[in-house]
């Protein structure tokens, strides 16, 4: 499938030149909207995406899965900054709703 992933990348990203890969892919890009670095690494059977932008990663995974006709996908995600911000919001919300009841 690496050839299909390479073809998808060439069609969906603004690259200076088309990329090619046979057995392994290691690509570093920059998101134009956010300036966030994106790293794509693929070995047979596994694609790893590193990026701090949770929305962008979601878009990439959905578009790639649709392109490869993957209906069920096992994935693992780790966004520690996003989780920390969510935790802070939940703590504030909890304190707000708790103080409302008093």
């Amino acid at each position: 499938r690496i050839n299909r992933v390479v073809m998808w990348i060439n069609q969906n990203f603004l690259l200076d030149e088309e990329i090619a890969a046979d057995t392994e892919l290691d690509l570093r890009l920059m998101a134009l909207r956010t300036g966030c670095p994106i790293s794509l690494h693929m070995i047979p059977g596994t694609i790893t995406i590193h990026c701090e932008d949770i929305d962008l990663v979601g878009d990439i995974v959905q578009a790639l899965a649709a392109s490869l006709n993957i209906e069920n996908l096992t994935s693992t995600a780790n966004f520690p900054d996003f989780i920390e911000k969510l935790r802070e919001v939940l703590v504030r919300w909890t304190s707000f709703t708790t103080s409302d009841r008093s």
Side-chain angles (χ1 to χ4, degrees):
R1 285 194 184 211
I2 195 161
N3 292 335
R4 291 177 62 197
V5 172
V6 167
M7 185 172 65
W8 177 82
I9 290 170
N10 285 325
Q11 292 172 350
N12 289 278
F13 290 88
L14 296 173
L15 304 172
D16 289 337
E17 58 187 51
E18 287 194 356
I19 61 166
D22 293 326
T23 58
E24 187 173 328
L25 174 67
D26 193 22
L27 183 64
R28 287 172 178 74
L29 305 166
M30 182 76 63
L32 294 178
R33 277 185 275 154
T34 63
C36 184
I38 307 164
S39 172
L40 295 162
H41 181 75
M42 181 177 183
I43 56 174
T46 303
I47 298 176
T48 305
I49 303 169
H50 290 277
C51 181
E52 294 296 319
D53 186 334
I54 193 169
D55 294 321
L56 179 58
V57 172
D59 290 344
I60 290 171
V61 170
Q62 287 182 339
L64 183 55
S67 176
L68 297 176
N69 295 320
I70 298 173
E71 293 183 16
N72 296 312
L73 178 67
T74 302
S75 63
T76 303
N78 185 15
F79 294 93
D81 293 341
F82 179 82
I83 297 299
E84 180 58 26
K85 288 177 186 173
L86 179 60
R87 188 193 67 72
E88 291 171 5
V89 168
L90 289 174
V91 165
R92 279 188 268 138
W93 179 79
T94 302
S95 67
F96 176 74
T97 58
T98 304
S99 65
D100 236 13
R101 293 181 184 166
S102 303

